[in-house]
Each structure stands twice: as C-alpha cells, then as structure tokens.
Amino acid sequence: MGSADERRQAVLRAIVADYIASQEPVGSKSLVERHNMGVSSATIRNDMAVLEQQGYISQTHASSGRIPTEAGYRAFVDALHDVKPLSSAERHAILDFLENGVDLEDVLRRSVQLLAQLSNQAAVVQLPTLSVSRVKHCEVVELAPTRLLLVLITDAGRVDQRNVDLAAPIDQDGVRLLRDLLNEVLVGKTMRDASAALARVSTKAPPHLADPAARAAEVLITTLVDATPDRLIIAGSSNLVVPSGGLQGVIDALEQQVVVLKLLAGAQELEQVSVRIGHENEDEEFSRASIVTTAYGSGDEALGGLGVVGPTHMDYPGTMQKVATVARYISRILRGE
C-alpha cells in the first residue's frame, strides 16, 4: 500500500472520529489543527476529494466540510484491529453491578440497563430459550389440595413457573413421587428433547399418580415446549429520541419482538462482535441505525444475543468494547466464576 493510500485511511479515520465526537461536518483545516498529519491543508483537501469519489465521505453543500457515509463507517469499523480496553475501575464496576443480580433474568435486566447507560443508546438482550438450555431441576410445590406449582430451573439459570390443577387431592408423598418422576424425565434434557418422554410419563407413574403426572406433563408440553416464545428485555429506547426525530422508526421497531429477534439472529458466536451499519440491516426501520451485537453463553454454547442500537454516528470502538465486556461477564456469571 502506498503512502498516499495510508494517509487517506488516516484522514478517513480522523473524519469519522471527529464527526462522531461533534456531529458537525469536518473540514481540512480542523483536521490539520487536531491531527498530526504531516502534510498541508491542500494535500488533505485532495485526499478528501479522493475519499469522496470513493464513496467514503460526502459533502452536504459546497462550502461545508465532509461527513462519513455508511461505507466510510464500515471501513472505519473494519480497520479497528485493537479496541481500547475498559479501565480496571470500569470493569470492576460492571462486574460488581451484574454479580448483585438475584437470578439470571435479573442479571440480564441489569446488563441492558447498564449498556444503555454506558453507551447512551438502546440496549437489548435475549433470554435463554428452553430449546438450547437444559433442565437442571423441576420442583413440585403444593399450593392447595388440588393445585400444584411446577418450578423449572435450567442450567442457564432460567426459572419458569406453571400451575397444575388436579382432579383430586394429592398427599405429600405423592408430591415427592411426582417430583422424582418429572426430574427423571427432564433433568439434563432440553424441553424439546424431553417432550416425547413427558407424553409417556403417566404410564410410568403408579396408578394413583397417573392422572396428576399426565396433567403436569400436559402443562409442561403445551406451555413450555409448544409455546416457548423468545423473551427479550429492552432498555434505553428514550436515548434514541433526537430533535430531528430521525430515529423514531427505530424506536417503534424496537417494540416489535420479531423485528428485534432478527437483530440478534447473527449473534451466535461467543467473543465475536458484529456491527451492522445503516442499510446493511435488512429491515428498513433500521436503515438509519447501527447495531452492535454479540452472544453470551455457558461453556462453548451461545445461549442468547446481546446488543446496542444507535445512530450511525455512534462511538463504535467504545460501544463494541462495552458490548463485548458485558457479554463476557454474563458468561462468567453463568459459569459460576
């Protein structure tokens, strides 16, 4: 690569960085004053003209400076080999805040609140689904003589509760036997893997427990296997409110679960941060936004996606690092570290 190409890359990085900081068009004079380019303003103007021809920057009107295009932001992000790490104080504050969560859902809720605050954008996280997490334990609690509470706990820390209405009362010994029977079928399996065994669980139960076992299995299958929705937590949508109203479509789209799930669909690999800029997003609602996502999980398995949604002029290095750090700490908590 020639020195002219290297210098133009440096000019592009400087334009993007300055525009992100000020949201004002960047001129050649300010680049010379703020950055040690080692060349004249005339040379910088020539470089800017080439970058404009290449589609990396644009000029709003003849006398103004330049602003980055989507292609310019993409080139900037692709050139980020080393993202500046957070300080030890920042990392400690994040981990301390997340570790105080009472369960996984609370940890994830804290995560999006924290990301929204740190990035000043909107943040979203997907709760682990039962299709990927495995059952750790199923507790059976007597609520009334003919009503039971099933509490399903997964290895990812997800807790689901369902009520079961019985045709006749069940004693404490029956409750314990039913709990053991359900755990024999469920523990170590995903709900989808256990569905066939659940359908036959009543045939394995003692005669007096056949009906309670069948009712418990039916509730688990119909409410957790056949109708398990992906659950999302979103925070910071109000951060996207700007005077121009340009991101109102993004705010409206964030209220649609299916659309948000599509945003997180690409977050399948741990330790990999994905950035989609403007029209790289499939949905038109996000054509004026950028989305930074990654996955969190336990061991080598991704359990859900985590991300930040903001304007295309977001602070990419800072946002990428914050998203990666929070996801890494969620994974550590899941591993019990």
Side-chain angles (χ1 to χ4, degrees):
M1 179 183 295
S3 59
D5 287 334
E6 293 173 353
R7 187 182 65 248
R8 286 167 190 149
Q9 286 190 1
V11 171
L12 177 60
R13 289 195 298 270
I15 291 173
V16 174
D18 284 1
Y19 185 72
I20 287 173
S22 68
Q23 278 109 71
E24 294 289 341
V26 180
S28 58
K29 182 178 179 181
S30 65
L31 287 178
V32 171
E33 292 174 349
R34 295 176 188 171
H35 305 273
N36 184 23
M37 296 291 182
V39 293
S40 67
S41 294
T43 299
I44 297 297
R45 284 195 295 273
N46 289 335
D47 288 339
M48 292 171 75
V50 173
L51 290 170
E52 187 170 2
Q53 291 175 352
Q54 294 173 337
Y56 293 121
I57 59 177
S58 64
Q59 192 172 26
T60 55
H61 54 82
S63 61
S64 71
R66 269 60 164 196
I67 64 174
T69 64
E70 290 181 11
Y73 286 125
R74 170 48 59 192
F76 176 82
V77 170
D78 289 346
L80 290 173
H81 302 298
D82 298 308
V83 178
K84 181 181 178 182
L86 300 181
S87 68
S88 58
E90 288 174 319
R91 294 195 302 271
H92 177 76
I94 291 173
L95 185 58
D96 183 62
F97 182 69
L98 296 184
E99 284 184 330
N100 285 327
V102 297
D103 54 27
L104 177 63
E105 184 164 344
D106 189 34
V107 169
L108 295 178
R109 193 173 302 280
R110 286 168 172 260
S111 298
V112 291
Q113 291 171 346
L114 185 64
L115 269 179
Q117 180 181 356
L118 292 174
S119 67
N120 198 33
Q121 313 295 347
V124 58
V125 67
Q126 177 185 14
L127 274 71
T129 65
L130 290 174
S131 62
V132 294
S133 53
R134 298 182 181 275
V135 177
K136 184 176 181 180
H137 181 69
C138 180
E139 187 58 58
V140 182
V141 180
E142 182 183 4
L143 297 178
T146 58
R147 173 167 286 193
L148 301 177
L149 173 68
L150 304 180
V151 182
L152 202 69
I153 305 169
T154 72
D155 58 357
R158 174 171 169 172
V159 178
D160 280 275
Q161 301 181 12
R162 295 294 186 274
N163 290 336
V164 180
D165 291 316
L166 305 178
I170 183 174
D171 59 23
Q172 287 297 319
D173 287 338
V175 171
R176 285 192 292 271
L177 286 172
L178 180 59
R179 179 195 61 204
D180 293 343
L181 184 62
L182 291 174
N183 277 292
E184 180 183 343
V185 170
L186 293 170
V187 172
K189 299 187 181 80
T190 66
M191 285 298 299
R192 296 192 188 280
D193 291 340
S195 59
L198 279 169
R200 298 190 301 269
V201 72
S202 61
T203 63
K204 301 176 62 176
H208 69 291
L209 286 181
D211 184 67
R215 289 171 180 263
E218 181 181 4
V219 166
L220 291 173
I221 291 172
T222 57
T223 65
L224 295 177
V225 177
D226 295 336
T228 301
D230 290 292
R231 298 166 61 199
L232 299 166
I233 304 173
I234 300 174
S237 295
S238 60
N239 290 333
L240 302 182
V241 177
V242 294
S244 64
L247 295 180
Q248 184 58 49
V250 175
I251 298 172
D252 296 339
L254 285 174
E255 298 177 359
Q256 304 176 43
Q257 179 164 293
V258 174
V259 174
V260 179
L261 287 171
K262 288 173 65 177
L263 299 182
L264 300 176
Q268 300 296 327
E269 296 186 32
L270 301 175
E271 304 291 333
Q272 295 292 321
V273 177
S274 170
V275 180
R276 296 194 297 281
I277 302 169
H279 286 87
E280 293 175 358
N281 297 299
E282 294 180 6
D283 293 280
E284 180 62 28
E285 297 94 331
F286 294 97
S287 62
R288 300 184 65 177
S290 287
I291 301 161
V292 179
T293 58
T294 191
Y296 68 88
S298 178
D300 297 328
E301 185 176 30
L303 296 176
L306 174 77
V308 163
V309 179
T312 53
H313 60 260
M314 70 165 58
D315 172 15
Y316 290 99
T319 302
M320 292 167 67
Q321 184 57 58
K322 292 176 177 71
V323 168
T325 300
V326 171
R328 190 177 303 120
Y329 285 164
I330 294 172
S331 298
R332 283 178 55 179
I333 292 170
L334 284 174
R335 294 193 297 266
E337 297 179 3

